[in-house]
Amino acid sequence: AGVLAANLKLMLVRLPTLLDLGVQPLSGPSRVLLCGEADFSYAAALCATQRGAIEVTATAFEEEMELHERYPRAAEALARVRAAGARCDFGVDARELSRRYPSEEWDRVVFNLPQAPPEPRRRNQIQRQRALLRDFCAAAASVLSRDGQIWVTLLAGQGGTRLDPNQRAIGDSWQVQLAAAQAGLLLVSALEADLGPLA
């Protein structure tokens, strides 16, 4: 839990004029897409705190059977998410959201702790993480409502922003601002996020 307390929650929005930003928390009925949910603990916590105030679609990269094998705690969390009326989709690649959801839009798209699977024998693994962020930003932008927000949570130092509590050389980071800009998005906020209660 100590490591998780240093995470950063990054908010990205479509690139408008700066006067147009007006970033506010979502209010009223809103649609939220959660990507890469792993054990679905974040989805369960979100559904419990929002109690039907938002419409949640929670996704996992793995198919459901594989998910249960990989994350034994997922069954309990999934039961809570489904009981709250949220939609759970499996086999969803966060880099191809418009292909999976061609006619849907969300007010907030969330990806907590994205991680490209390791490729043994490949020397520069950081390039794969950057590509994942870049591709996710583009995919999320394609299913984002006009005034929507994209939230990404990274470990301290991974993002490469000045707001990171652990500063790294830009070449040693995932370069989230560049990934956002390539998708026509603007990084407007970076906040510390305590994910400890989800552990």
Side-chain angles (χ1 to χ4, degrees):
V3 174
L4 292 178
N7 292 330
L8 281 184
K9 176 74 70 179
L10 305 165
M11 186 187 320
L12 311 168
V13 295
R14 289 188 193 280
L15 193 58
T17 63
L18 289 178
L19 297 175
D20 245 2
L21 285 178
V23 176
Q24 299 294 323
L26 295 174
S27 60
S30 299
R31 300 189 74 220
V32 177
L33 175 65
L34 306 177
C35 298
E37 268 301 284
D39 68 0
F40 282 74
S41 59
Y42 180 80
L46 182 66
C47 289
T49 60
Q50 296 299 311
R51 292 193 171 82
I54 59 175
E55 181 185 325
V56 175
T57 299
T59 71
F61 181 76
E62 298 86 357
E63 293 296 340
E64 188 168 6
M65 195 78 129
E66 180 186 350
L67 182 99
H68 288 292
E69 291 171 11
R70 190 168 183 189
Y71 304 104
R73 291 179 23 188
E76 179 190 337
L78 272 167
R80 293 194 326 250
V81 170
R82 287 176 169 145
R87 181 168 120 196
C88 300
D89 292 339
F90 302 91
V92 177
D93 188 336
R95 299 167 298 182
E96 298 181 2
L97 296 173
S98 62
R99 185 175 302 171
R100 178 68 182 250
Y101 304 108
S103 60
E104 295 188 65
E105 285 189 342
W106 283 270
D107 303 303
R108 184 168 293 156
V109 180
V110 179
F111 201 171
N112 290 315
L113 307 172
Q115 190 72 38
E119 288 183 14
R121 302 176 200 228
R122 212 165 146 190
R123 291 192 51 183
N124 195 348
Q125 298 288 340
I126 202 164
Q127 295 296 333
R128 291 178 34 269
Q129 306 305 338
R130 288 178 187 157
L132 172 63
L133 265 184
R134 181 193 64 235
D135 295 346
F136 165 72
C137 285
S142 73
V143 296
L144 196 62
S145 67
R146 183 183 176 282
D147 296 320
Q149 303 170 1
I150 299 169
W151 286 16
V152 178
T153 305
L154 299 175
L155 294 176
Q158 285 179 335
T161 72
R162 284 191 229 162
L163 301 171
D164 270 303
N166 298 343
Q167 291 295 307
R168 296 182 184 174
I170 192 68
D172 293 334
S173 78
W174 292 12
Q175 302 175 355
V176 66
Q177 289 172 293
L178 179 59
Q182 290 171 334
L185 301 168
L186 179 67
L187 176 65
V188 296
S189 179
L191 308 166
E192 284 195 36
D194 182 7
L195 299 183
L198 301 178

